[in-house]
Amino acid sequence: MSKLPDFEALAIFAKVVELRSFAAAATELSLSKATVSKAVSRLEERLGARLFNRTSRRLALTDAGQKLSERAARLLADGEAAENEALAQSTTPRGLVRLAVPMSFGIKTVAPLLPEFMEAYPEVAIDLHLSDATVDLIGEGFDAGLRIARLPDSSLIARRLCGMPRYTVAAPSYLKRHGRPTHPMHLAEHKCFGYAYLSTQGVWHYTNASGEQASVRPAGQLRVNNGEAVMPALLAGLGIADLPDFIVGDAIARGEVEVILKGWKQPEGAVHLVTPPGGPRPARVEVLADFLASHFAKGRAQRK
């Protein structure tokens, strides 16, 4: 005897007992009558006992069949309940979402939205993990993560939520003392702040309207693993930074820093929701993605 019970045969047997008919069980289970008959025969052979006394007009349980029928019916009911619960879980937003988000973006942008989301979906719980390091979603058991970058090729399933431009900026006081770069290659002569988790390994890439490209690896006194940590030194006029809109956008609007190299653009990244491969996203993850996409789009429209 194999280690696992023949659950399929037990479930088919329970359905035959319930309907008192091989043909009716076959119809309800969308199986052929031969498949149903073979499943019951397989179970009888496995158990070494006849389960039904069958005639052309009557189907009756034997003593062995009677003893097995109650447990088989319970097994079938439990299986149907488990499947229905799983189906409900996949279509109804319910359960825990373990979400990995970059630190500053999570604090400034995602966390303020969560109260509204939790009110709208009271059966969904959020476990928010904040880190600028790229987490291993599969290895660390996350349901989803937000990535702000141009995504590399990956087995992860990605959904673009909104664009996220980057700006090369400096405080007016820095520009007054050190001058304003007009070409990306001039950055090599300036003090620039580094970011440890930049996807391009510390290289800033630019393209102008005529298609000319330039790449520079700037250097300076400060390198951080969180973009927000650059802001005090940036506002103090100690260097040039390359930062995403969600970190530096308000400072630009207030005139605390100025965008430089306006004739040059960097490849625009985007906010993506990424999930492990292996089928459609659960409803709890999908509604969170829809909610965030809607609010991020509104935020970008208002900023424009």
Side-chain angles (χ1 to χ4, degrees), residues 11-34 36-37 59:
I12 290 174
F13 165 71
K15 186 60 69 173
V16 172
V17 172
E18 176 187 337
L19 299 176
R20 296 291 174 174
S21 167
F22 278 64
T27 299
E28 180 148 331
L29 296 173
S30 299
L31 299 172
S32 68
K33 187 177 178 181
V36 171
S37 181
L59 185 67

Side-chain angles (χ1 to χ4, degrees), residues 21-189:
S21 167
F22 278 64
T27 299
E28 180 148 331
L29 296 173
S30 299
L31 299 172
S32 68
K33 187 177 178 181
T35 299
V36 171
S37 181
K38 287 178 182 178
V40 173
S41 296
R42 188 170 73 241
L43 191 58
E44 289 177 330
E45 183 178 352
R46 183 186 178 100
L47 299 176
R50 182 178 292 276
L51 300 174
F52 292 103
N53 288 317
R54 285 168 271 187
T55 67
S56 60
R57 302 182 61 180
R58 189 168 178 268
L59 185 67
L61 286 167
T62 64
D63 287 343
Q66 187 68 49
K67 291 177 181 177
L68 182 63
S69 63
E70 184 175 335
R71 289 183 179 274
R74 197 156 55 238
L75 178 68
L76 176 62
D78 287 346
E80 290 174 338
E83 187 172 74
N84 289 337
E85 184 177 350
L87 287 171
Q89 179 80 354
S90 67
T91 58
T92 302
R94 180 186 300 118
L96 176 66
V97 178
R98 297 196 68 227
L99 179 66
V101 181
M103 178 71 72
S104 294
F105 190 72
I107 293 172
K108 293 168 68 71
T109 306
V110 177
L113 298 177
L114 292 184
E116 182 180 343
F117 177 82
M118 291 187 291
E119 286 187 2
Y121 299 97
E123 295 188 69
V124 178
I126 304 293
D127 180 358
L128 184 64
H129 176 87
L130 300 174
S131 173
D132 282 352
T134 301
V135 301
D136 179 357
L137 295 186
I138 299 172
E140 298 183 40
F142 286 98
D143 296 291
L146 295 184
R147 302 274 169 85
I148 306 173
R150 289 172 293 147
L151 294 183
D153 291 337
S154 168
S155 63
L156 298 176
I157 301 171
R159 173 180 173 182
R160 188 181 189 277
L161 301 184
C162 70
M164 183 56 63
R166 300 185 66 86
Y167 302 107
T168 305
V169 294
S173 59
Y174 177 90
L175 297 174
K176 184 176 181 179
R177 288 197 305 272
H178 301 284
R180 181 184 297 269
T182 57
H183 190 283
M185 302 311 294
H186 295 165
L187 294 174
E189 304 166 7

Side-chain angles (χ1 to χ4, degrees), residues 204-251:
W204 299 0
H205 298 283
Y206 298 88
T207 305
N208 65 14
S210 63
E212 180 186 354
Q213 297 182 349
S215 297
V216 61
R217 187 184 298 274
Q221 289 179 276
L222 180 64
R223 185 170 183 265
V224 300
N225 66 357
N226 174 266
E228 192 77 17
V230 164
M231 292 303 295
L234 177 67
L235 296 177
L238 299 179
I240 296 172
D242 173 60
L243 293 168
D245 180 75
F246 73 89
I247 290 180
V248 77
D250 289 340

